[in-house]
Amino acid sequence: MPKLNTCGHPERKHHAKGMCHACYMREYDADPARRERKREYMREYNADPARRERERERNADPARRERKREYYQIKKAAKCKSK
Ligand SMILES: [Zn+2]
């Protein structure tokens, strides 16, 4: 039986902790420690223009995208099995 959303959006796909994706992300971003980490990351990111370029290049690598896709497929399969 699939988990039901208790966030007020039962028609949406369940994402985590009884919430749909939008509500879960809202709660996730509401964590002050996480917001601070994000701010810190953006500060570093914006302080180094070359970094933006490096990350763009890395993410554009098809082999990397393929690895990432495989990783998420394996992760998803493992999650289904454990249920
Ligand atoms: Zn929701």
Side-chain angles (χ1 to χ4, degrees):
M1 167 150 172
K3 285 183 188 164
L4 287 173
N5 293 333
T6 54
C7 59
H9 304 112
E11 79 285 4
R12 291 188 189 168
K13 193 171 167 283
H14 175 258
H15 184 70
K17 296 185 180 174
M19 287 177 270
C20 70
H21 187 255
C23 291
Y24 178 75
M25 289 319 287
R26 188 175 306 131
E27 191 180 281
Y28 190 66
D29 280 330
D31 178 357
R34 193 191 125 66
R35 272 217 304 275
E36 186 46 49
R37 278 200 302 279
K38 200 171 175 178
R39 235 193 322 267
E40 188 60 39
Y41 173 80
M42 288 317 290
R43 214 178 354 247
E44 275 176 35
Y45 191 82
N46 290 325
D48 180 4
R51 177 177 182 162
R52 204 175 309 189
E53 204 46 52
R54 278 201 308 275
E55 294 201 357
R56 187 179 298 140
E57 264 173 44
R58 207 174 58 190
N59 287 324
D61 178 0
R64 183 180 148 81
R65 275 218 299 273
E66 186 56 33
R67 277 200 304 278
K68 218 166 163 178
R69 207 172 59 85
E70 273 172 26
Y71 171 77
Y72 282 112
Q73 267 170 1
I74 290 165
K75 212 169 142 183
K76 208 171 156 187
K79 208 171 158 187
C80 288
K81 233 176 277 167
S82 71
K83 260 181 198 169

